[in-house]
Amino acid sequence: RMKVLKQAEANQQPLTLATLGPGTMFGEMSALANQTTASATVEADIDSELFVIELAVVDKLLTSEPGLARRFW
């Protein structure tokens, strides 16, 4: 199980925005949008297996399949 967290005010506990179950996909939208900071953090509550796709691979895929980009937003 994963929790999506967003930092609240300084020195406060982060807010839980969502809980993700098995098979759920999540990703770093800031990398795709050329932003320098992430909008949230994902934290595992239990041992988890993750699959990482490098940004260069995503860029190549979106270049070869431009219609796919619309599904991200």
Side-chain angles (χ1 to χ4, degrees):
R1 203 175 65 176
M2 307 271 193
K3 292 191 296 187
V4 180
L5 306 170
K6 182 161 183 83
Q7 185 60 47
E9 299 296 321
N11 300 323
Q12 290 185 353
Q13 294 287 348
L15 301 171
T16 300
L17 301 178
T19 301
L20 309 176
T24 303
M25 296 186 328
F26 63 91
E28 186 52 70
M29 294 303 296
S30 64
L32 295 175
N34 287 328
Q35 297 173 346
T36 57
T37 58
S39 59
T41 299
V42 177
E43 183 179 279
D45 283 347
I46 60 174
D47 288 344
S48 302
E49 290 185 41
L50 304 177
F51 181 73
V52 177
I53 304 173
E54 294 181 18
L55 185 55
V57 174
V58 174
D59 283 340
K60 185 175 181 180
L61 177 62
L62 295 179
T63 299
S64 66
E65 299 289 337
L68 189 58
R70 288 189 286 277
R71 298 185 75 189
F72 285 109
W73 287 273

